[in-house]
């Protein structure tokens, strides 16, 4: 369904569609000792503390055209952080036309536009395997909007804001709005795939799979980084300090962890 700008804004009262984006990113690391695990958790807590997460979400609200009404943020002990923002909407007539197109949004640079009864949240989950030395950092970001502009326009910025090995992305449009004649609209913009909101250079770095239910306006994409350099996954040691056997064992553990997260199930070792 392709709508003209005039059709987009000629609705009966408020646009009641709710558009929800859930972006989950995972960073995988090998921490061979208790001290390395503790330092990794400390590093993550410093890198993604509540203040930095607030700055990221503030930029997200700018991209989707929102005004921040309220911010609640918290750093947790022993680890993790959360930020929740309540946002409101301004007029969409001044929004650039490209905000309604099925294309990637901006990366971390300057953006201007203006959501109603909506929210943006982020929660972080650092954790580690009790026996195998694998540490995992997960960040869950949810962007829920009512109105014209899709939160998918914030996806490109979010991808560039985190170091990610695996991404799972969900997008859903709920409810309906009415045009001037009373005809229901269950979605008000074209979408073929979440991947169309991810730039080509990012797509080239990942293996991506879509699971979409078009008739229900539900879209799902998951992605796993293609390149694997062991040095990028070691915390507190270097590949050159390990024997060939140790390198092989650690690489197998890391790849197993990534595959299990990507496919969403435990994989039995052969």
């Amino acid at each position: 369904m392709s709508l003209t700008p005039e059709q987009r804004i000629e609705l009966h009262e408020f646009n009641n569609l709710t558009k929800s984006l859930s972006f989950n990113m995972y960073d995988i690391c090998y921490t061979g000792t208790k001290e390395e695990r503790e330092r990794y958790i400390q590093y993550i807590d410093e890198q993604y503390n509540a203040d930095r997460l607030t700055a990221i979400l503030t930029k997200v609200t700018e991209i989707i055209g929102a005004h921040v009404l309220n911010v609640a943020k918290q750093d947790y002990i022993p680890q993790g952080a959360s930020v929740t923002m309540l946002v409101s909407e301004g007029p969409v007539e001044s929004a650039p036309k490209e905000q309604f197109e099925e294309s990637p949004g901006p990366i971390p640079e300057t953006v201007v536009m203006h959501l109603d009864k909506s929210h943006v949240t982020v929660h972080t989950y650092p954790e580690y395997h009790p026996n195998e030395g694998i540490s995992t950092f997960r960040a869950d970001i949810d962007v829920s909007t009512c109105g014209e502009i899709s939160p998918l326009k914030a996806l490109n910025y979010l991808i560039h804001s985190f170091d990610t090995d695996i991404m799972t992305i969900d997008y859903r449009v709920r409810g309906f709005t009415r045009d001037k004649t009373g005809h229901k609209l269950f979605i008000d913009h074209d979408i073929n795939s979440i991947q169309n909101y991810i730039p080509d250079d990012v797509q080239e770095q990942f293996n991506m799979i879509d699971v979409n239910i078009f008739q229900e306006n539900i879209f799902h994409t998951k992605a796993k980084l293609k390149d694997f350099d062991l040095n990028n996954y070691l915390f507190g040691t270097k590949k050159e300090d390990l024997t060939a056997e140790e390198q092989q064992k650690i690489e197998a553990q890391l790849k197993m962890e990534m595959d299990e997260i990507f496919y969403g199930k435990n994989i039995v070792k052969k």
Side-chain angles (χ1 to χ4, degrees):
M1 177 185 64
S2 181
L3 300 178
T4 67
E6 290 74 19
Q7 289 173 315
R8 271 200 297 269
I9 61 176
E10 289 186 1
L11 300 176
H12 175 69
E13 298 183 342
F14 181 71
N15 188 329
N16 294 314
L17 288 170
T18 298
K19 302 164 187 175
S20 300
L21 169 68
S22 293
F23 171 70
N24 308 96
M25 60 76 56
Y26 298 83
D27 178 70
I28 316 300
C29 188
Y30 182 81
T31 49
T33 66
K34 179 183 177 182
E35 291 73 21
E36 288 178 357
R37 286 194 292 271
E38 291 174 349
R39 280 192 283 124
Y40 175 76
I41 296 296
Q42 183 181 7
Y43 164 77
I44 288 297
D45 276 346
E46 292 173 354
Q47 185 77 1
Y48 298 107
N49 59 38
D51 286 339
R52 176 159 188 237
L53 295 174
T54 299
I56 291 173
L57 293 195
T58 299
K59 182 58 70 174
V60 167
T61 64
E62 292 181 22
I63 293 170
I64 60 177
H67 174 68
V68 177
L69 297 177
N70 180 266
V71 179
K73 60 182 179 179
Q74 182 66 51
D75 288 302
Y76 297 110
I77 296 174
Q79 66 240 9
S82 295
V83 179
T84 300
M85 289 185 174
L86 182 66
V87 295
S88 65
E89 181 181 64
V92 299
E93 289 88 342
S94 59
K97 156 174 100 163
E98 58 269 18
Q99 291 299 325
F100 302 99
E101 297 174 352
E102 190 183 19
S103 61
I107 59 174
E109 286 181 357
T110 197
V111 186
V112 180
M113 279 187 357
H114 278 290
L115 295 175
D116 191 31
K117 301 170 186 151
S118 304
H119 65 271
V120 185
T121 66
V122 59
H123 306 284
T124 66
Y125 303 90
E127 63 89 46
Y128 59 86
H129 192 288
N131 302 315
E132 294 191 353
I134 301 293
S135 291
T136 304
F137 167 64
R138 180 177 111 238
D140 295 349
I141 299 98
D142 290 285
V143 185
S144 180
T145 71
C146 298
E148 302 262 337
I149 298 168
S150 170
L152 283 167
K153 284 297 180 180
L155 183 56
N156 190 26
Y157 172 80
L158 288 171
I159 292 171
H160 283 84
S161 296
F162 295 88
D163 293 325
T164 180
D165 298 308
I166 299 166
M167 301 182 291
T168 59
I169 309 162
D170 296 282
Y171 179 66
R172 182 170 186 179
V173 181
R174 294 181 174 88
F176 66 88
T177 192
R178 294 182 186 271
D179 64 17
K180 288 288 187 179
T181 68
H183 181 73
K184 294 185 184 73
L185 299 174
F186 292 92
I187 191 167
D188 63 351
H189 65 96
D190 294 326
I191 177 170
N192 175 265
S193 169
I194 293 173
Q195 292 190 43
N196 294 339
Y197 291 84
I198 302 174
D200 293 340
D201 62 322
V202 174
Q203 291 193 46
E204 289 171 2
Q205 300 173 39
F206 291 86
N207 291 312
M208 291 189 170
I209 296 176
D210 274 4
V211 183
N212 299 322
I213 309 177
F214 293 100
Q215 64 272 26
E216 298 294 334
N217 296 323
I218 297 173
F219 305 88
H220 174 78
T221 296
K222 53 186 177 182
K224 184 177 70 169
L225 204 61
K226 291 178 181 177
D227 293 337
F228 185 93
D229 181 348
L230 185 56
N231 270 326
N232 293 334
Y233 295 89
L234 298 175
F235 191 87
T237 188
K238 293 186 178 297
K239 177 179 176 180
E240 294 73 22
D241 299 328
L242 303 170
T243 66
E245 184 178 353
E246 288 173 328
Q247 292 178 30
Q248 187 176 12
K249 179 182 177 182
I250 293 171
E251 183 172 329
Q253 290 176 344
L254 288 164
K255 288 184 174 180
M256 175 75 76
E257 180 82 359
M258 294 171 70
D259 284 344
E260 288 184 341
I261 294 171
F262 183 68
Y263 292 109
K265 62 180 181 181
N266 290 298
I267 299 173
V268 179
K269 296 180 181 178
K270 296 181 180 179

